[in-house]
Structure formats: C-alpha cells, structure tokens
Amino acid sequence: MDNVGIVVDDLDTAVAFFTELGMELEGRMPIEGSWAGKVVGIDGTRTEVAMMRVPNAAGRLELVTYHHPKAITPEPKVAPANTLGLHRVMFAVDDLEDTLARLRPHGAELVGEVTRYEDSYLLCYLRGPGGIILALAEQLS
C-alpha cells in the first residue's frame, strides 16, 4: 500500500493535527488540470494535497482539500463508526493518554472511551479534523 487518502475541509488544521500525532509533512502541492479530473472523475477539479509520512516507516497519509468543486459533507455530518466505507485509520502510540492530551487542543474528541483489551492494548476511537475517525492503540507490556 502506498497511502490512504482523506478529504479534509481545512488542510492547515489537518496537517497540524497529524504532525502532533507524530507524522512528518513530506510535501504539499496544488493539483489541477485535465489529468487530475480524469483520475477522480470530476471535471475541473482543483485541490491541494499534503502528504504526511510515518517516521521510519512506509505508511503515508494523503490529506486533500478541494477548492473546486467544494467537498461534499456527508449526512449525517458526524457519521457513527458503523457507517459503510472507510471506517478509520489506526495509529500505534507509546502513551495513549499523553497523545490524547496533545491532540485535544487540535480538536480531537473521544468517540467512546479509552478501553483496555485484555493485558495487550489500551484502545480508543477519536474524531479528528472534519469529524474523521481515528483509532489509537498503546501496546501494553
């Protein structure tokens, strides 16, 4: 897998959020032209993309904001976890509570609560920029 793409309404906010999560901004650029519209099936599309990289790993996250046409807001805007489609992206963290504390000023809100899975993991779902669902997992010793 090369990357996972997420459409966001505020690219600066999303970049700041994922940077705080520990990702690195690999690059940022506008995308437009007839080739771009042909790829996504939307004529006249103009977007800006920020590629975020997981340090020392192959995983990348492509954050996209649409300038034209404007992005469509799903109904309901804050879809529950059982909504069809991309469910969530999970990140491994060293300290789940510390990560939550750092992400809250960037708009992160717990979906449920931090839960312990056996003696293996602390887990939670949270909403990030634009209401996207992320999961965090802290492996216990």
Side-chain angles (χ1 to χ4, degrees):
M1 182 175 76
D2 183 73
N3 70 68
V4 172
I6 299 176
V7 176
V8 298
D9 56 354
D10 184 331
L11 196 57
D12 293 329
T13 298
V15 167
F17 180 90
F18 287 103
T19 299
E20 189 64 48
L21 188 55
M23 298 187 82
E24 299 170 347
L25 179 62
E26 183 177 84
R28 189 169 168 163
M29 65 185 286
I31 304 288
E32 59 184 292
S34 63
W35 70 271
K38 289 177 183 175
V39 170
V40 299
I42 302 173
D43 289 334
T45 187
R46 286 185 299 108
T47 65
E48 186 176 359
V49 173
M51 192 64 75
M52 306 294 295
R53 176 173 292 289
V54 176
N56 304 314
R60 295 188 304 170
L61 194 60
E62 181 180 287
L63 303 173
V64 181
T65 190
Y66 276 79
H67 299 295
H68 181 79
K70 289 292 184 188
I72 297 169
T73 302
E75 292 299 328
K77 181 176 176 159
V78 180
N82 65 343
T83 302
L84 294 174
L86 180 64
H87 180 67
R88 53 102 180 119
V89 177
M90 181 175 276
F91 291 89
V93 297
D94 293 328
D95 183 331
L96 194 141
E97 290 295 340
D98 176 68
T99 303
L100 282 173
R102 290 185 293 109
L103 293 177
R104 281 189 175 111
H106 294 275
E109 297 178 3
L110 282 173
V111 170
E113 56 189 68
V114 175
T115 305
R116 184 184 200 99
Y117 173 70
E118 298 178 349
D119 289 329
S120 301
Y121 291 94
L122 285 179
L123 303 165
C124 72
Y125 275 21
L126 60 98
R127 289 203 185 276
I132 60 174
I133 297 176
L134 305 174
L136 301 178
E138 175 187 338
Q139 187 170 7
L140 303 172
S141 28

